[in-house]
Structure formats: structure tokens, C-alpha cells
Amino acid sequence: MVVEKVGSNSMANISGLRGPLWWMQWAKRGWAIAAVGFAVFVFALSVASYYRSSEPESNTANAFHHITTSDLIDLTLLHSAKDRGALCLDGSLPGYHFQKGFGSGAKNWLLFIEGGGWCNTIESCILRKHMHLGSSKHMGRRVHFTGILSPYPDHNPGFFNWNRVRIQYCDGAFIAGHPDNELKNGTELFFRGRLIWEAIMDELLSFGLSKAEQALLSGCSSGGLAALIHCDEFRHLLPKDGLAKSLNKDCVARMEPDRCIFPEEIVKNIKTPVFLVQSAYDFWQIQNTLIPKASDPHSYWQNCRLNIYNCNSTQVEILLGFRGSLLKALNDFEKNKEGGMFISSCFIHCQTLMTEIWNSPKSLRINNKTIAESVGDWYFNRSAAKLIDCPFPCNPTCYNVNFTRG
Ligand SMILES: *[C@@H]1O[C@H](CO)[C@@H](O)[C@H](O)[C@H]1NC(C)=O
Ligand SMILES: *[C@@H]1O[C@H](CO)[C@@H](O)[C@H](O)[C@H]1NC(C)=O
Ligand SMILES: *[C@@H]1O[C@H](CO)[C@@H](O)[C@H](O)[C@H]1NC(C)=O
Ligand SMILES: *[C@@H]1O[C@H](CO)[C@@H](O)[C@H](O)[C@H]1NC(C)=O
Ligand SMILES: *[C@@H]1O[C@H](CO)[C@@H](O)[C@H](O)[C@H]1NC(C)=O
């Protein structure tokens, strides 16, 4: 599997900090991308255990807006997928949730790709077969549409009335896996991400995506990476081949394909305008790539990993260095006239699906702008949208997740 190589390709040199996997940072963050006059992609990340496909968004949304049953969107299984062999890891049908656009948004489309890590060993892929991230048998039948998918204008001013699709991620490899990588020895694991992508696109094209006036492709966490991988072809709707061929051809021509999956490389080659939503203190990255448990046998970092307010001054300095490495890597992107970014300093991960953070009176703001306002400014060409927050703990509007159990 290509993904395995990618995962082990440490990018320690980039930050000089304990070898964080740079591509994971990117894979685990929120972003947005827009294709000129046509597509925007918004990326944000979600970790399986953190944003389950059925419940957690509802909690956030509930706190802010009364949820009605019309907010519950049924899962659609992709029936054409069976004949095309476009199957989840376990061989079940892939699926998505769809809410039709209306009014001025009737011809506009917003696609959001669910995140949830990836699998890079036979064992981890087998485990995944028993989760919603590897099988539609375990997917939430009905989900709430929140944040960037919300149908309420006050929550989601730019996109509330667009056709909105939440694509469920079930191939374990950024919806880019290829059957060539399947094991031929009786281990039942289906690597069909490419086929899933093509089958879903064909179905959405037939529902009206082919006549879209505007479109936005978005994703959270590994869904963000999937959106990056697919964004140029989404824009041109030219699907085909395996992961290496999904990757930008200029990049693949210059270096090993497994390097081309690193978001910093992907971003360089994407022709489609991109908006990145990311926290410089992303808790998933801090917990899994900067200071994974295995690298901290004496648990010196344990309290800090659970709650950023528990970090002592030395640790805060190290996190500041981590932020610095992100900003450095964004240097080139910052010069991109068509790009946008919203780089916060909160202990958070996946910011675009949480209504309270995306756009609410209590929202996170940088220069008094919410993420929704900044993405809107960028997508609708209202104003420049490159916002970088001051370092932790300067922003009082931050929502910092507290993992400490009382
Ligand atoms: C924003 O500007 C670009 C470049 O001028 C243009 O191609 C695009 O259609 C505009 N987008 C919107 C939503 O007006
Ligand atoms: C098939 O090969 C994989 C990878 O080499 C191995 O982990 C797995 O146990 C094998 N399965 C069977 C049924 O032999
Ligand atoms: C912060 O904690 C680390 C790990 O326990 C320790 O090595 C360091 O000396 C502490 N720094 C301060 C300023 O207390
Ligand atoms: C921040 O933005 C809100 C509207 O989004 C506005 O009402 C408020 O006056 C602004 N505050 C500052 C300090 O500009
Ligand atoms: C985090 O949660 C724990 C357990 O509920 C609580 O004791 C602690 O005060 C909280 N910390 C912060 C900074 O809110």
C-alpha cells in the first residue's frame, strides 16, 4: 500500500522537533480550496474517535441551535458502486449524505469529505473493517449537518442553501486506494478508493453537479488530504487510475510518488485556489505526531497533551517552535494570490464542521473574523483572507479542548 510508505516517510527535517510527520499535520487539519469560478475545497480534519459520523456534531450544534428532525440527513448508499466494484474496505457499499440546495443556491454544490486517519498495516485495515471508516454497515444512518454543512444562514452564510454532500470515508486511504494493491492471498480487504471517488462523482454529476455554477470541495483531517489529492481532477472531473496517478503529474515526474502525498508538495502543484484552515496548536498533531505517547515513556508531557493550559513554559516554547515550523512551511503558500488561510492558535482539530467555531456569536475569531467569514471573503472575492493568529495563549476567542477527565 502506498499509504504505508507515506506514513513512515518522516519529515523530521522540516521542523527539527522530534520528527513530526509533516504530511500528517496537514492531513489533520482544516482547509479550504476554491477552484476559480468553479470549485472551492475546504479541508478540516476529524479523527475517528473525536467526530463520529453520527453523534458529536449534534452536541456542538445543540448547544447553539435547536436541532429539528429536518437537520437529520439519511445515508444514501451508492448502489451503482456494486457493479463497478467501488467498495469499502470490508466489501460493503460506500455512502454519502445529501441535502438538496434551494433558492439562489440550487445550482451550487458543496462537498465535504469525512476524515478519520487512515490504515497503513494489514492489521489496522482489518480493524477498520469493523468501523464506520471501513464499512457502511457501521456508518451513522442519519447525521446532523453542522458548521460548513449547516442549512441555516446565520450559521453558514455563504453556503447554507447550496446542495450539500457529506462523503463518508471508507477505503482507509484518502479515497485514493487502488485494487492493484489488494492482497491476493485470501485476506479480504478492498482497496477501492479511486473507484469510490469515480462512482460518487458520477452519481453527483447526474444529480446536477455537472451543471454546477459554483462548487466547493472540502474535507476535514484525512478528508482534507483527500480533498487536496482530488481537487484538480474534481475541478476538471477527469477521474482515473491509482493513487500515484491521482497525485500531481509534475510532482511525480520530479520525485518519488510517496513524497507527492505530503500536503506541502500537493499544495505547490495544485492549480485550484486553496484555502487552508488549520490550528498551529492542533491537538491531534501534538498528541500523535509531535509528542506521541511512545516518545514520552515517563509521561512528562501527559498533562500538557490533555490540556494545553497544563503545559509549562518549556513546553509552551516547544509548541511555539512547532507553530513556527508550520508558518515557515506556509511561506510560499502565503504569496499565492489566489490562496487564503485561517491559522488559529487554539488546541483544537477540525474546525469547519463545528457550528460554534465555524460561525456563531461565540466563534473563534482572528482580526474579528470568523472562519466562515474569512472563507466567504476569499471564495466570493470580497477581500483578502490570509489570517494568522498570534501565538497561544493570546486569543481569548479560542476554544481549547480539555481532555482531562474529572
Ligand atoms: C473570484 O475571482 C476570480 C478571479 O478573478 C474569478 O475567476 C472567480 O469567478 C471569482 N469568484 C466569484 C465567486 O465571483
Ligand atoms: C496475506 O498476506 C498478508 C501480508 O503479507 C498477511 O499479513 C496475511 O496474514 C496473509 N493472509 C493469509 C490468509 O495468508
Ligand atoms: C516542564 O516540564 C518538563 C517535563 O516534565 C521539564 O523537563 C521542564 O524542566 C519543565 N519546565 C519548567 C520551566 O518547569
Ligand atoms: C467585530 O465584528 C462584529 C460583526 O461580525 C461587529 O459587530 C463588531 O463591531 C466587530 N468588532 C470590532 C472590534 O471591530
Ligand atoms: C479540565 O477538566 C478537568 C476535569 O473536568 C477540570 O478539573 C479542569 O479544571 C479543566 N481545566 C480547564 C483549564 O478547564
Side-chain angles (χ1 to χ4, degrees), residues 35-38 214 338 378-381:
V36 188
F38 193 72
Q214 307 207 56
E338 292 187 319
W378 162 78
Y379 187 81
F380 299 107
N381 293 334

Side-chain angles (χ1 to χ4, degrees), residues 87-394:
L87 305 169
C88 296
L89 268 180
D90 70 331
S92 62
L93 296 175
Y96 60 87
H97 300 262
F98 171 58
Q99 195 170 39
K100 210 167 158 36
F102 53 93
S104 60
K107 289 194 170 166
N108 299 340
W109 286 74
L110 185 143
L111 278 56
F112 180 91
I113 305 175
E114 181 195 31
W118 60 94
C119 61
N120 59 358
T121 60
I122 303 300
E123 294 71 33
S124 61
C125 289
I126 287 173
L127 275 178
R128 222 174 154 88
K129 281 168 57 166
H130 306 290
M131 299 167 65
H132 70 279
L133 292 167
S135 169
S136 55
K137 289 180 199 144
H138 301 281
M139 286 175 191
R141 295 290 127 177
R142 313 183 89 192
V143 301
H144 292 295
F145 270 17
T146 53
I148 195 170
L149 290 174
S150 168
Y152 299 107
D154 52 339
H155 295 173
N156 193 18
F159 314 110
F160 72 97
N161 61 356
W162 291 28
N163 294 283
R164 281 156 292 116
V165 186
R166 178 177 168 138
I167 297 174
Q168 296 302 121
Y169 170 40
C170 72
D171 78 314
F174 317 109
I175 323 190
H178 195 280
D180 284 355
N181 297 318
E182 282 172 9
L183 301 169
K184 309 287 189 285
N185 65 359
T187 302
E188 291 226 330
L189 279 175
F190 296 84
F191 300 143
R192 305 285 175 89
R194 288 279 340 147
L195 300 175
I196 294 173
W197 172 259
E198 289 164 17
I200 292 181
M201 287 305 114
D202 283 351
E203 186 149 319
L204 298 179
L205 286 169
S206 76
F207 287 176
L209 178 63
S210 62
K211 298 202 180 78
E213 284 173 0
Q214 307 207 56
L216 171 75
L217 175 63
S218 64
C220 185
S221 197
S222 46
L225 184 53
L228 273 187
I229 291 171
H230 293 292
C231 71
D232 279 346
E233 63 178 319
F234 173 68
R235 192 172 166 197
H236 299 291
L237 295 163
L238 294 172
K240 281 272 175 304
D241 324 306
L243 181 54
K245 288 179 191 163
S246 295
L247 297 174
N248 186 278
K249 290 172 190 64
D250 300 342
C251 179
V252 175
R254 275 190 290 113
M255 55 181 92
E256 290 296 305
D258 51 335
R259 269 198 67 89
C260 299
I261 200 164
F262 288 62
E264 63 186 33
E265 291 301 331
I266 299 180
V267 159
K268 270 185 212 161
N269 290 294
I270 287 175
K271 309 269 191 305
T272 310
V274 179
F275 191 106
L276 306 176
V277 179
Q278 172 61 25
S279 172
Y281 297 82
D282 181 305
F283 70 68
W284 194 94
Q285 296 171 19
I286 292 172
Q287 295 173 346
N288 294 283
T289 67
L290 182 67
I291 322 283
K293 268 208 171 99
S295 73
D296 182 32
H298 302 292
S299 298
Y300 293 138
W301 279 80
Q302 186 57 12
N303 290 335
C304 173
R305 294 165 90 251
L306 294 175
N307 184 332
I308 193 166
Y309 287 109
N310 294 336
C311 304
N312 71 20
S313 56
T314 316
Q315 290 164 332
V316 168
E317 273 302 303
I318 291 172
L319 298 182
L320 184 67
F322 189 56
R323 170 180 180 270
S325 68
L326 169 69
L327 299 185
K328 189 163 169 235
L330 286 173
N331 263 343
D332 280 347
F333 181 74
E334 224 179 323
K335 293 177 201 136
N336 177 338
K337 285 201 178 58
E338 292 187 319
M341 57 165 91
F342 189 99
I343 309 297
S344 72
S345 292
C346 314
F347 196 57
I348 187 85
H349 175 76
C350 248
Q351 306 168 92
T352 52
L353 260 199
M354 298 168 79
T355 302
E356 263 194 325
I357 296 178
W358 170 249
N359 201 53
S360 82
K362 290 195 290 177
S363 270
L364 157 68
R365 286 166 189 268
I366 304 179
N367 296 354
N368 203 29
K369 293 267 188 194
T370 64
I371 304 175
E373 286 163 355
S374 314
V375 171
D377 285 349
W378 162 78
Y379 187 81
F380 299 107
N381 293 334
R382 290 192 295 245
S383 65
K386 290 208 177 89
L387 297 174
I388 298 179
D389 208 354
C390 47
F392 174 84
C394 74

